[in-house]
Each structure stands twice: as structure tokens, then as C-alpha cells.
């Protein structure tokens, strides 16, 4: 398990409850309102600026300081603004790759005889430099993986392992106190020796309605790094955007299996393992299921390479790349404890403002925790209530 709490990462400190709980809730609510407000961030359009250069040298005080996902990032001048230049760079490279590989989707006929990808694949080769080719790899007529190169801090020289010294490929998950699953934030926080060469995002929907996940590669697959001491750090790994209590999405499972297949194609003797405990277990089960049930039929997955000549000049508005339309309210469950009725209470995200109108009480957060855990912290007075909320702070969710 790798936690995205680097030394210079601002939200790692907020995760320790250095701020009043109500302020944390207010910040998250304001982020949602700003992102959903019609025309927000459109004062100075960035369309004429190449995607790779957007917000790279910009002052970052307007960025969301404690995001939980990509949708929480502040939009400035029509483009998401990240808290660090590294996160911004990785996001821009992803969007440029998305634009550079735009084109019609393959038809369902291309995947006949390989239902649910249960066959052997011909995948693009990993280069001698240890990098996957950038581009769009279709998994079926409606889903694809976006393969993105984003070298660590512009680094070009890496200490690499020989293939005979590579023993394992490790599945990791984003288990961290901040609960942030933004893949670009996590990449930004892994600045030292502890990192993996691959990072897999949560699914998104592009402007054409197709679903995709992003596989960001930050170093050669055979780079020497520390990420799984229990396996001797003897091989590469992948960080998957998933918290401990979240369900692995089917598209993430497919992309994780394909990534492992890339590595097995380069190093046939390598073992595919989870990190420890239940971390990475869902992906490992998906991989073993594929290995057991795949057919002998071979298929070349459709791949559109991202040409360098198209990456640098790539331009597009955000809504031309991904779906950014306002979504219907998503139910949010409140904690069941002695402060709320015994029956479940569901409120929509659209009713945040009504909830915060009741802020005379100063501490009315949306919480989600188990009733059994809450029972150990029954407040008897105002000070007890504050201690009760502080004890549950790590379970705050939006």
C-alpha cells in the first residue's frame, strides 16, 4: 500500500484534522458548487493554448486543496487547476493523448470470437527503453485504455533491473487517509524512491460517450523502486485508484489484467501478485480468472498510437474531451448514531446548501461510519460532541 501523502503534499496535513470539521465540509461543498456552477471558470478560455502548456507556470492558490477525486479539482479559465506542477503536467499529458488519438471507435465485429476479452492478445511491444507506446487501446467497442507517458520530473536516466532479476508484478490500491483517488494527485505525491511505474485511474466518460481508464507510466517498467518490501521490491507494480471500501470497477479490472499481460509479454517468468492482505486481491482474482478461462484464439487489440507530432500542438476545450455535464444528485448516506434517527437518511448532493443553512450548530457534517463504531463515542454535552466528531473525522466522505 502506498499512501499519497508526500512531504510537500498539502492535503496530507488536512487529513490529520488540523482544521475544524465543519470547515473541511464547507471546503468540499464549495468545490462541488464551483465545479457545477454554469459557466464557472470560463472567464479566460484556454482553447488557444496547447494542452501541454495549460496552467503549467500558473500560481496555484486557486486550486482545490483537499480534493477527493478528479471531479473535485477547481476549474480555472475553463481548465482544471492542480495544486502542484507535477499533477498538472500528468493531467495535461493525459488530455493531450486523448485528443491526439481521437477517432472513430472500432465496430463490435472486431471483437468477435473474443467475448469479454477471453482470448490471447497481441499487444504492442514495450520499447527497449522500458516504455509502453502512448495511445488508445480498445478493449471493446465502447471501452478503452489510454496509455500515457509522464516521466518523473522530466527524468530521462533511470536505474533499471535486468529481466532475470525481476520476480513479481504487484497490484496496489490507493489506501490513504485522505481518501483521494485522483491519479494525478497521487503521482504528484510520490516524489521520492517510493513509487510504482504505473498508475491506473478510475473510469471516466469521454465526449463521445465511451468509457475509458487512464494508465499513466512515470518510469520504465523495469525501474528500480521501492513499493513492496514484503516481495523484496523485486519487480514493477501498479497503483489502482481504489479505496479500501470501494468496489473495483469492471473496466479497472480489465485494464489491470491487460497491464499485467504487457509485463508478462516482456518477462514471461514474472509472477503476478497482490501487495498484502486484501489490497490488490480483486485485481489478482480477475487476472487468475482470465488466465484460467482464456481461449486459444489470438486477437490483436485495436490500438491508435499517439504521435508526437499530434501531442505537442493538441488543443481542445475540456468539454470536447470528457463529459463535464452536470450529473443528477448522488445519494449520500448519513451516519447512524445517537444524533440521528435509527432509519437510514439519504440526502442529495444538490441539497448541500440547505444543510449548511443549519450551520447555527457549527458542526453538522455529512458523515458515514458504522453504527457500532459510533456507539463508542456517545457525546453527553457540547464538548463531548466535538470529541465525538473528531473521532469520526477519518470517516468523513462526500
Amino acid at each position: 500500500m502506498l499512501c499519497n501523502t508526500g512531504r510537500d503534499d498539502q492535503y496530507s496535513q488536512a487529513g490529520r484534522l488540523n482544521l475544524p470539521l465543519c470547515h473541511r465540509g464547507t471546503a468540499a461543498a464549495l468545490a462541488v458548487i464551483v465545479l457545477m456552477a454554469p459557466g464557472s471558470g470560463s472567464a479566460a478560455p484556454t482553447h488557444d493554448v496547447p494542452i501541454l502548456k495549460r496552467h503549467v507556470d500558473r500560481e496555484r492558490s486557486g486550486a482545490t486543496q483537499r480534493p477527493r477525486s478528479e471531479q473535485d479539482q477547481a476549474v480555472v479559465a475553463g481548465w482544471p487547476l492542480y495544486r502542484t506542477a507535477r499533477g498538472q503536467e500528468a493531467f495535461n499529458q493525459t488530455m493531450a493523448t486523448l485528443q491526439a488519438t481521437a477517432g472513430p471507435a472500432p465496430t463490435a465485429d472486431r471483437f468477435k470470437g473474443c467475448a469479454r476479452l477471453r482470448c490471447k492478445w497481441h499487444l504492442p511491444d514495450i520499447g527497449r527503453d522500458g516504455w509502453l507506446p502512448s495511445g488508445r487501446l480498445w478493449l471493446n467497442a465502447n471501452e478503452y485504455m489510454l496509455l500515457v507517458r509522464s516521466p518523473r520530473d522530466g527524468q530521462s536516466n533511470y536505474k533499471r533491473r535486468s529481466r532475470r532479476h525481476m520476480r513479481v508484478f504487484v497490484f496496489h490500491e490507493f489506501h490513504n487517509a485522505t481518501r483521494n483517488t485522483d491519479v494525478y494527485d497521487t503521482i504528484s505525491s510520490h516524489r521520492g524512491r517510493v513509487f510504482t511505474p504505473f498508475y491506473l485511474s478510475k473510469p471516466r466518460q469521454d465526449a463521445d460517450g465511451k468509457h475509458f481508464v487512464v494508465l499513466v507510466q512515470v518510469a520504465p517498467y523495469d525501474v528500480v523502486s521501492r513499493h513492496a518490501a514484503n516481495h523484496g521490491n523485486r519487480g514493477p507494480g501498479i497503483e489502482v485508484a481504489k479505496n479500501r471500501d470501494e468496489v473495483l470497477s469492471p473496466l479497472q479490472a480489465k485494464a489491470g489484467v491487460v497491464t499485467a499481460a504487457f509485463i508478462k509479454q516482456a518477462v514471461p517468468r514474472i509472477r503476478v501478485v497482490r501487495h498484502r492482505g486484501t489490497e490488490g486481491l480483486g485485481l489478482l482474482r480477475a487476472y487468475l480468472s482470465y488466465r484460467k478461462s482464456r481461449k486459444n484464439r489470438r486477437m490483436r487489440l485495436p490500438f491508435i498510437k499517439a504521435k508526437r507530432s499530434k501531442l505537442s500542438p493538441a488543443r481542445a476545450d475540456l468539454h470536447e474531451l470528457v463529459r463535464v455535464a452536470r450529473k443528477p444528485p448522488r445519494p449520500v448516506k448519513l451516519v447512524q448514531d445517537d444524533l440521528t434517527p435509527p432509519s437510514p437518511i439519504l440526502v442529495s448532493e444538490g441539497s448541500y446548501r440547505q444543510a449548511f443553512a443549519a450551520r447555527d450548530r457549527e458542526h453538522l457534517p455529512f458523515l458515514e461510519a458504522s453504527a457500532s463504531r459510533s456507539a463508542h463515542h456517545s457525546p453527553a454535552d457540547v464538548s463531548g460532541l466535538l470529541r465525538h466528531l473528531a473521532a469520526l473525522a477519518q470517516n468523513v466522505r462526500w
Side-chain angles (χ1 to χ4, degrees), residues 39-197:
S40 62
S42 59
T46 57
H47 183 85
D48 293 334
V49 179
I51 292 175
L52 293 178
K53 296 182 179 180
R54 293 179 186 176
H55 295 338
V56 172
D57 299 320
R58 189 184 182 99
E59 200 278 328
R60 303 191 175 277
S61 61
T64 305
Q65 298 304 312
R66 293 179 295 278
R68 297 290 179 88
S69 69
E70 292 175 45
Q71 283 70 31
D72 288 342
Q73 303 297 346
V75 176
V76 177
W79 196 254
L81 176 65
Y82 277 77
R83 293 167 298 153
T84 66
R86 179 68 183 102
Q88 190 73 58
E89 178 186 59
F91 175 79
N92 289 356
Q93 287 163 335
T94 297
M95 294 296 106
T97 304
L98 188 61
Q99 173 63 11
T101 57
T107 63
D109 291 340
R110 291 285 300 273
F111 300 92
K112 278 188 175 180
C114 193
R116 300 176 61 190
L117 295 179
R118 300 292 185 180
C119 59
K120 296 180 180 179
W121 311 312
H122 286 294
L123 299 172
D125 291 326
I126 299 178
R128 296 184 64 182
D129 58 0
W131 291 86
L132 296 176
S134 297
R136 186 180 300 207
L137 184 68
W138 287 93
L139 306 180
N140 55 52
N142 295 300
E143 297 175 326
Y144 59 90
M145 291 174 63
L146 199 66
L147 311 183
V148 177
R149 290 190 187 188
S150 184
R152 286 165 54 86
D153 299 321
Q155 190 173 343
S156 58
N157 296 321
Y158 299 88
K159 185 177 180 180
R160 300 170 61 185
R161 295 183 186 275
S162 65
R163 294 185 180 183
R164 61 192 180 92
H165 289 145
M166 297 174 65
R167 295 289 185 266
V168 293
F169 177 66
V170 186
F171 289 135
H172 295 275
E173 295 172 0
F174 287 10
H175 294 178
N176 58 76
T178 68
R179 299 190 60 79
N180 186 1
T181 55
D182 187 310
V183 66
Y184 314 107
D185 273 330
T186 303
I187 289 171
S188 174
S189 69
H190 292 174
R191 295 176 178 271
R193 295 176 60 192
V194 179
F195 68 95
T196 62

Side-chain angles (χ1 to χ4, degrees), residues 19 75 88 100 112 222 227 237 241 269 304 325 330 337 340 344 349:
L19 298 175
V75 176
Q88 190 73 58
K112 278 188 175 180
D222 50 6
H227 60 86
R269 295 175 55 189
I304 304 174
R330 178 170 59 88
D337 57 11
T340 55
E349 288 182 345

Side-chain angles (χ1 to χ4, degrees), residues 1-4 170-176 186 190 238-248 274-276 278-284:
M1 175 180 69
L2 301 182
C3 296
N4 51 346
V170 186
F171 289 135
H172 295 275
E173 295 172 0
F174 287 10
H175 294 178
N176 58 76
T186 303
H190 292 174
I238 179 174
E239 278 278 2
V240 180
K242 175 187 173 297
N243 277 309
R244 191 186 307 273
D245 58 349
E246 293 178 327
V247 177
L248 184 73
R274 68 182 185 274
H275 185 198
R276 60 163 61 94
T278 60
E279 183 186 349
L281 182 59
L283 265 177
L284 180 60

